[in-house]
Amino acid sequence: MRLIRVIVGVCLGLLAAVVVWTRRGMRWGATPEEIASTGTGDDWFEGVPGSRVRITRGISIGAPPETVWPWLAQNGRGAGWYSHDRLDNGGRASAHHIVGWIPEPCVGDAASIGYLRHLEPGREIVWWAPNDPLLGAQTWSAWQYTVVPQGDGSRLLMRVDFAAAGPTRWLGLLLVPLIDSVMALRQLQNVKHLSERHGVRTEDPENPETGERDQYQLHHVIYASGDEAGVPGAENAQQARQWAEADGMV
């Protein structure tokens, strides 16, 4: 009985730690005003069934928006995700420079995260994944990155809206905030580090460009033009491309 109580206590303690970590991660670095503010994709969820969760994070960067923007513009579009590369990039190191062959972002670009539905060059990029099956449920998600001036530097906000419908929706509503809290915090910190340390440099002497379109990113990307990067079939972007076509974005 004593051993059972110990095991139960440890499990409950771990569960409590996960809950606390997830709640903190969902609003990491964000002010109350930022958390309460409206987002670009809010109206995309009108009529979406099920339950919805919102995640808002923020970080201050000691570099102007015009320096931060190029890193956001190539994020997930052939340069890697700037998170835990061993976990979400097949062990490839995300680019530590502005990659020369990656085109400027365009509405209709498709990646593992969804397709690019909203774009304000120099300020905001928003990805959209509608009616996506996950763990037996149907899900909808919008991933918004916004960079604005803050003094001599910048303020970078990341907002995730996630909705799920179906009998297993609770799995997605638990797991997505948990996993994203681990990955996104690393991503924001890396964008800050690269922007402040390297500016908008176009070469990396430690990992120079080879011209291979999967050098910095495993996950498949299909640009609005039809050109591709990453490895086809690796977190395939074809579904996101189909969503973009169905919505008339390409």
Side-chain angles (χ1 to χ4, degrees), residues 92-150:
R92 289 165 169 77
S94 297
H96 284 205
H97 69 291
I98 306 304
V99 181
W101 52 261
I102 296 179
E104 290 296 315
C106 183
V107 169
D109 287 347
S112 58
I113 199 173
Y115 77 86
L116 207 169
R117 181 170 174 176
H118 175 84
L119 173 68
E120 293 181 47
R123 182 180 182 275
E124 187 170 81
I125 191 167
V126 190
W127 300 87
W128 173 239
N131 203 22
D132 190 22
L134 176 67
L135 300 173
Q138 293 302 118
T139 70
W140 295 257
S141 58
W143 308 76
Q144 173 184 328
Y145 298 85
T146 307
V147 59
V148 295
Q150 185 184 59

Side-chain angles (χ1 to χ4, degrees), residues 47-115:
V48 169
S51 305
R52 179 179 169 191
V53 64
R54 165 171 285 181
I55 303 167
T56 305
R57 306 183 183 95
I59 193 169
S60 295
I61 301 176
E66 56 266 27
T67 297
V68 179
W69 174 254
W71 298 100
L72 296 180
Q74 68 179 19
N75 176 44
R77 299 181 59 256
W81 290 103
Y82 297 106
S83 185
H84 297 276
D85 286 332
R86 291 188 180 276
L87 295 178
D88 73 343
N89 203 28
R92 289 165 169 77
S94 297
H96 284 205
H97 69 291
I98 306 304
V99 181
W101 52 261
I102 296 179
E104 290 296 315
C106 183
V107 169
D109 287 347
S112 58
I113 199 173
Y115 77 86

Side-chain angles (χ1 to χ4, degrees), residues 1-203:
M1 288 296 294
R2 180 180 176 82
L3 178 60
I4 293 176
R5 288 197 296 270
V6 170
I7 292 174
V8 170
V10 169
C11 291
L12 290 176
L14 289 173
L15 178 60
V18 168
V19 170
V20 171
W21 164 258
T22 302
R23 286 183 60 84
R24 292 188 62 183
M26 288 175 63
R27 56 189 65 184
W28 181 87
T31 67
E33 293 75 19
E34 290 167 343
I35 294 171
S37 64
T38 57
T40 296
D42 283 0
D43 58 342
W44 302 350
F45 287 85
E46 292 181 2
V48 169
S51 305
R52 179 179 169 191
V53 64
R54 165 171 285 181
I55 303 167
T56 305
R57 306 183 183 95
I59 193 169
S60 295
I61 301 176
E66 56 266 27
T67 297
V68 179
W69 174 254
W71 298 100
L72 296 180
Q74 68 179 19
N75 176 44
R77 299 181 59 256
W81 290 103
Y82 297 106
S83 185
H84 297 276
D85 286 332
R86 291 188 180 276
L87 295 178
D88 73 343
N89 203 28
R92 289 165 169 77
S94 297
H96 284 205
H97 69 291
I98 306 304
V99 181
W101 52 261
I102 296 179
E104 290 296 315
C106 183
V107 169
D109 287 347
S112 58
I113 199 173
Y115 77 86
L116 207 169
R117 181 170 174 176
H118 175 84
L119 173 68
E120 293 181 47
R123 182 180 182 275
E124 187 170 81
I125 191 167
V126 190
W127 300 87
W128 173 239
N131 203 22
D132 190 22
L134 176 67
L135 300 173
Q138 293 302 118
T139 70
W140 295 257
S141 58
W143 308 76
Q144 173 184 328
Y145 298 85
T146 307
V147 59
V148 295
Q150 185 184 59
D152 295 331
S154 304
R155 183 69 174 164
L156 174 58
L157 296 180
M158 178 187 180
R159 168 165 287 161
V160 180
D161 279 289
F162 177 81
T168 59
R169 64 183 182 275
W170 62 273
L171 283 172
L173 293 168
L174 286 174
L175 291 177
V176 168
L178 172 60
I179 295 172
D180 187 61
S181 292
V182 174
M183 309 305 286
L185 268 60
R186 180 66 173 268
Q187 184 183 72
L188 293 175
Q189 291 167 338
N190 278 340
V191 170
K192 171 183 171 69
H193 170 76
L194 292 167
S195 299
E196 293 177 346
R197 180 174 181 180
H198 297 310
V200 291
R201 72 174 184 176
T202 56
E203 296 181 353

